[in-house]
Amino acid sequence: MDSSLQATSSTNVPVERARDLSHDLPDLGYDRSRTWRLGIMGGTFDPIHNGHLVAAEQAVGEIGLDLVLFMPAGSPAFKQDKLVSDPDDRYDMTLLATSDNPTFIASRFEIDREGVTYTVDTLQALRDYYSDNVELYFITGADAIIDIVSWRDAERLAHLATLVGATRPGYDLEAARKNIAASGIDFDVRYLEVPALAISSSYLRDRVRRGKSIKYLTDEAVVGYIHKKGLYGTEAHT
Ligand code: NAP
């Protein structure tokens, strides 16, 4: 046990407990003669859709990622006052949508952790779990990156991973760049333009609520799952 880790972690869930959740982390980095690039696709995934899948695929191609862990947030930090679907449903849909791609792995890592999900805890646990020849790339929406300076332990987070902000074409990155520059924190941020991000989870939820088709907007198995479980039917998810 690295005692410095314990001392620096300000989480409500100790990092050593998160480390015990390493059961679904892929074996990576064993060949020390090369660098491994691990993408962590962070999101609520309520539900996962083709925009997320295309963004991850683009990150694999443009950054040269070896694997992407799709990690639904258990209890998203900035959504404590919002209605979010059951974590197991969000995980199951993520599993269904990623199962045909060997480069994509659905992970329960954040789902199985109690308490509010803070990205810094996840990245610290991953950094601690993997050897130094594994580089971490945290991929999420550029809208989320805008607020990164107010995330828990932002300064520590900046040292743990390269951040990848996925945007739709034409998205104004000025606000994100300004916030990050003003913070004085040395974030390593890359942006990916992903046309498929015209699709959003809220768009899918809204269509389901109005009885419209979501076919081809997400994986067929996810469409079936949503209908079978009656997700997004009546509740006011916003
Ligand atoms: P959000 O505010 O719901 O999402 C903001 C925007 O980014 C939405 O347009 C969303 O579209 C998009 N987006 C989210 N994840 C994406 C992904 N992986 N790829 C492409 N676009 C994505 O964000 P959130 O889901 O709550 O949080 C995103 C990630 O940041 C999560 O892993 C969360 O744990 C982390 N986070 C951490 C902290 C913290 O540690 N304090 C605070 C906030 C967020 P869709 O709705 O279509 O996905």
Side-chain angles (χ1 to χ4, degrees):
M1 173 66 214
D2 176 355
S3 55
S4 64
L5 187 61
Q6 215 171 2
T8 53
S9 172
S10 60
T11 174
N12 56 343
V13 181
V15 170
E16 64 270 27
R17 279 212 17 227
R19 195 188 289 135
D20 290 343
L21 299 173
S22 57
H23 56 85
D24 75 349
L25 294 182
D27 198 9
L28 200 66
Y30 44 83
D31 176 0
R32 291 208 168 229
S33 65
R34 59 162 286 198
T35 296
W36 295 81
R37 294 184 171 171
L38 177 64
I40 302 107
M41 190 73 171
T44 305
F45 301 131
D46 194 15
I48 189 163
H49 54 68
N50 288 346
H52 297 130
L53 296 166
V54 172
E57 181 67 6
Q58 236 176 278
V60 167
E62 292 182 29
I63 301 169
L65 301 175
D66 292 288
L67 279 180
V68 180
L69 285 177
F70 278 70
M71 210 175 262
S75 176
F78 284 3
K79 293 189 175 154
Q80 294 301 300
D81 56 347
K82 290 197 172 167
L83 190 59
V84 174
S85 297
D86 185 273
D88 281 317
D89 283 330
R90 292 184 287 110
Y91 169 76
D92 287 348
M93 291 189 281
T94 303
L95 182 65
L96 288 171
T98 54
S99 61
D100 64 351
N101 186 336
T103 307
F104 293 172
I105 297 178
S107 170
R108 293 190 60 90
F109 198 74
E110 290 188 340
I111 294 284
D112 287 342
R113 209 162 71 205
E114 287 164 24
V116 177
T117 308
Y118 293 109
T119 300
V120 71
D121 297 336
T122 302
L123 294 178
Q124 182 69 71
L126 292 176
R127 184 64 284 154
D128 201 49
Y129 181 75
Y130 286 112
S131 49
D132 288 348
N133 60 324
V134 177
E135 293 177 353
L136 304 180
Y137 292 81
F138 183 76
I139 309 160
T140 194
D143 285 356
I145 298 277
I146 288 180
D147 294 323
I148 193 110
V149 297
S150 60
W151 290 16
R152 176 171 285 211
D153 271 350
E155 196 150 4
R156 185 154 61 94
L157 193 152
H159 296 293
L160 291 169
T162 297
L163 302 172
V164 182
T167 72
R168 64 196 82 83
Y171 180 88
D172 187 1
L173 293 169
E174 204 41 41
R177 291 203 167 107
K178 260 192 189 157
N179 279 359
I180 288 172
S183 74
I185 301 174
D186 195 16
F187 288 105
D188 179 8
V189 192
R190 300 186 189 179
Y191 294 98
L192 273 186
E193 250 189 30
V194 184
L197 281 177
I199 304 172
S200 70
S201 298
S202 60
Y203 178 63
L204 265 76
R205 293 194 301 268
D206 184 57
R207 288 188 68 84
V208 174
R209 200 175 301 125
R210 292 188 293 116
K212 305 276 184 197
S213 167
I214 54 166
K215 201 170 167 138
Y216 308 123
L217 295 172
T218 186
D219 187 274
E220 218 177 306
V222 174
V223 177
Y225 188 99
I226 289 170
H227 291 313
K228 258 193 178 164
K229 300 228 38 181
L231 302 182
Y232 316 122
T234 49
E235 301 282 1
H237 289 74
T238 53

